[in-house]
Amino acid sequence: LRNLACVSAPPARPISDARLADAVDVILALQNADGGFATYENNRGYGWYEWLNPSETFGDIMIDYSYVECSMASNGALARFHETFPDHRTREVRNALKRGNAFLRSIQRADGSWYGSWGCCFTYAGWFGIEGLVDSGEDPASSEPVARACGFLLAQQRANGGWGEDFTSC
C-alpha cells in the first residue's frame, strides 16, 4: 500500500482508490492498544498465555506483540495514504499516526536504540524506529528521539564505516 500510493498516480494506478481505502481501514483496525502494530492480528491476549506455549523452539508466540518493524511499515502506509487521500478518515488516520509515534517513543531504549525482532538487532531496528517516527510526524532536524537514535548509531559505527552487528547482540 505504502509504495503503491507513492509510485502510481491515476489513471495508471493498478489498484482502485476504493481498494486502497479498504487497505487503510484494515491497517487502522489492526492498531494495538499500545499504539503499535503486530504481524497479523491485534494483541488480544495476556502475557501468561506464554506459559501455555507447546513449542520448545519458539518463545513469545502465543500472542502477537507490537513490533518496531510492523509499526514503521504501518505508520508509513498511513502517512503516504493520507498524503494522497487526505479526506479519507482524516481524524482516525491522524490519531493512529499520533499513537504510533507514541508507541515508537515508548519502546526506544535509553541509549537511543530499538530492539529489532527479525534482524540483528539494534542497528537494524534503528532504521525502522527512525523512519517510523518521521512518518508519524517527527521533524528529523529537531526530534530528540531521532537525535538519540543517530547518537546510538554513530557510537556503534566501526572504524571502517560499517557496523558489523551480529546475532550475539540480541
Side-chain angles (χ1 to χ4, degrees):
L1 174 70
R2 177 182 176 182
N3 292 330
L4 187 64
C6 289
V7 300
S8 60
R13 187 176 288 129
I15 296 178
S16 71
D17 294 355
R19 299 241 1 231
L20 293 173
D22 289 344
V24 163
D25 293 345
V26 169
I27 293 170
L28 290 171
L30 290 174
Q31 190 169 33
N32 283 322
D34 63 8
F37 292 87
T39 56
Y40 61 92
E41 67 179 357
N42 296 94
N43 181 327
R44 299 179 295 201
Y46 304 96
W48 62 264
Y49 287 9
E50 298 300 344
W51 292 18
L52 304 174
N53 182 353
S55 171
E56 294 180 7
T57 307
F58 303 105
D60 296 333
I61 63 167
M62 297 301 290
I63 57 177
D64 206 8
Y65 299 94
S66 293
Y67 298 99
V68 66
E69 297 95 332
C70 298
S71 298
M72 178 281 287
S74 298
N75 283 352
L78 291 172
R80 296 298 87 68
F81 179 86
H82 186 64
E83 290 168 1
T84 307
F85 302 97
D87 297 326
H88 181 78
R89 297 183 67 179
T90 302
R91 189 180 94 256
E92 293 98 326
V93 170
R94 287 182 181 157
N95 187 48
L97 288 168
K98 182 178 179 182
R99 291 178 59 228
N101 181 285
F103 170 74
L104 292 172
R105 285 171 162 260
S106 76
I107 64 167
Q108 187 178 27
R109 295 169 173 238
D111 66 2
S113 68
W114 286 269
Y115 182 82
S117 296
W118 299 315
C120 295
C121 179
F122 299 101
T123 304
Y124 153 89
W127 159 41
F128 295 100
I130 292 169
E131 189 169 340
L133 287 172
V134 172
D135 282 341
S136 61
E138 292 281 333
D139 177 358
S142 62
S143 169
E144 186 271 332
V146 171
R148 283 193 301 123
C150 291
F152 170 79
L153 292 171
L154 291 171
Q156 306 308 311
Q157 192 171 25
R158 295 180 178 201
N160 68 0
W163 282 267
E165 185 175 19
D166 66 28
F167 72 94
T168 60
S169 67
C170 297

